[in-house]
Structure formats: C-alpha cells, structure tokens
Amino acid sequence: MIIGFILFPRLTQLDLTGPYEVFARLPETQVLLLAKTLDPIVTEKGLAILPNSTFDAAPQLDVLCVPGGPGINDCLQDEVLLQFLRQQSQGARYVTSVCTGALILAAAGLLDGYQATTHWLSLDLLRQFGVEVRTERVVQDRNRITGGGVTAGIDFGLTIAAALFDQTTAEAIQLMMEYNPQPPFESGHPSTASNEVIEKVELAAAPYQEERKKIIEGLRK
C-alpha cells in the first residue's frame, strides 16, 4: 500500500502529521511525502519537513492526500500540482484531503459531482466550485474522503485505515495513539464557540481568506 501526501509551502503541519501518524502505523504501508523538489518545505508555523519523493519520481499511489493551510492560495493556480493530482487520481483507490486541501482537489476538478467537507471558514468557498458541501467531521462519497479542519485529520486517518484494512486495525492504532480527546473548552466548532471567539478567529483569518476568495472567483469565471 502506498499513501502519498502533497507538500507545499505554508501548509498546516497538523493537517499532514495527524493522519501521517495513523498511516505510518499501518501494516505493509509506505507513506510518501511528495513535492516538486526534495528541498525542505516550511510549514505555516515554521516547521520544516523533508519530502522523500518528487512528483516526477512518484509511483502510482493507492491513497492520494492533500493537506490544507494558508499556502493553498498559491496551489489553486499551480498547474503542475493540479495536473499531478489529476494524473494520480485516475489510478488511486482513494482521493482525499484534510481541511482546505479540499479546495485544491476542487480546483483540479476532482470533486465535481461529489459531496465533501473542509474547514468551517472555507465551506462557502468550496460551494463556489459547485461541490455539494457537508459539515460532518469526515465525509466519504465513493472514493473521495475529505476531513474537516486540522484536528479532523486524525479522525480522517482512522476512517481511511478502517477502509483500507479493517476496523480492528484502526481501533488498535487509535488505542496505541491514546486518541481519546477531552478538550478543555467547548470552542472547537462555531456551533459551540462564543461569538467573541468566532469573531477573533475570523478577523485573524481575514487577509488570506479574502485573497483566497478572489482567486476562486477568478478561477470560476
């Protein structure tokens, strides 16, 4: 089994490392970190990650996974990346994303006719691609599996682990990771967060959200 993550500058590292932790524990599975070159990729918060394969050298993937983050804005218009996704999707068993990685899949035309989810801040942007948007933490529509924002990547990873192998394998990984979340605050989703907290997050995200909106509007013309 070969699972490949797409790397790009300013990705959100937990979108990648959450499901990576799950996939790396699967039996007889190789996990590739794919980028245009083998140069280090610096994430949104400054963590450097080393790719272990270029797009050109990549084998056919069984699972293609695209994380999200502020850096997706450049990816939405990166024809080299989008074409790589299109080519890989033809032979992949599952085409997947975490967080705003769904917008990259949509820009490549890979969510046309599918239901999907993304980070709550970008649900309306996903709708602009004509995608039927859902708000569950993980959404599967045939061989498309999409996760919500950031921490949903762990739930997403376990869902795929069960699909690839079986529920017992996925549950054993969950137990080994001691993934038993008990958050100290009920603010992990806008449905439970206060208006003050929502406004604070929206204000912080406004610059790249506005840029992203303009890019997507341009792509849809």
Side-chain angles (χ1 to χ4, degrees):
M1 189 76 63
I2 304 176
I3 300 175
F5 286 94
I6 301 300
L7 301 188
F8 52 87
R10 298 179 66 220
L11 66 86
T12 297
Q13 64 87 12
L14 191 56
D15 288 359
L16 165 70
T17 55
Y20 182 97
E21 185 69 25
V22 175
F23 297 154
R25 296 174 183 274
L26 290 170
E28 299 180 0
T29 298
Q30 179 184 16
V31 183
L32 296 179
L33 302 177
L34 303 159
K36 290 180 181 178
T37 73
L38 295 179
D39 295 334
I41 297 292
V42 179
T43 67
E44 172 191 5
K45 300 301 182 183
L47 181 69
I49 300 178
L50 290 175
N52 54 18
S53 178
T54 64
F55 293 164
D56 289 341
Q60 175 60 58
L61 304 173
D62 296 293
V63 180
L64 173 64
C65 183
V66 184
I72 75 152
N73 289 13
D74 292 332
C75 297
L76 294 173
Q77 304 175 90
D78 185 338
E79 194 56 35
V80 172
L81 169 58
L82 298 178
Q83 187 58 28
F84 176 75
L85 297 179
R86 295 180 189 117
Q87 291 172 348
Q88 282 286 340
S89 70
Q90 295 176 19
R93 183 171 172 185
Y94 292 105
V95 177
T96 75
S97 65
V98 177
C99 197
T100 51
L103 296 176
I104 302 178
L105 291 182
L110 299 179
L111 292 181
D112 293 353
Y114 289 90
Q115 298 179 347
T117 194
T118 188
H119 191 285
W120 65 271
L121 278 170
S122 290
L123 290 169
D124 285 343
L125 297 180
L126 189 58
R127 287 190 183 96
Q128 288 189 32
F129 284 102
V131 176
E132 184 177 346
V133 171
R134 286 168 49 186
T135 59
E136 294 94 326
R137 199 156 164 85
V138 180
V139 172
Q140 179 169 0
D141 184 355
R142 290 158 286 171
N143 76 330
R144 301 304 198 254
I145 304 178
T146 51
V150 193
T151 60
I154 298 177
D155 303 55
F156 158 92
L158 292 168
T159 299
I160 291 177
L164 292 174
F165 291 89
D166 52 62
Q167 184 172 328
T168 300
T169 298
E171 287 184 352
I173 292 172
Q174 179 178 353
L175 180 57
M176 180 59 73
M177 292 171 58
E178 198 174 347
Y179 178 53
N180 183 32
Q182 299 175 28
F185 311 110
E186 290 296 323
S187 60
H189 189 269
S191 62
T192 56
S194 68
N195 289 335
E196 179 185 6
V197 171
I198 293 172
E199 290 172 4
K200 184 178 180 68
V201 172
E202 289 177 335
L203 182 63
Y208 62 80
Q209 284 291 106
E210 185 60 30
E211 177 190 18
R212 187 173 297 167
K213 180 180 179 181
K214 290 179 180 177
I215 291 171
I216 292 173
E217 288 174 348
L219 293 174
R220 302 309 295 167
K221 289 181 179 178

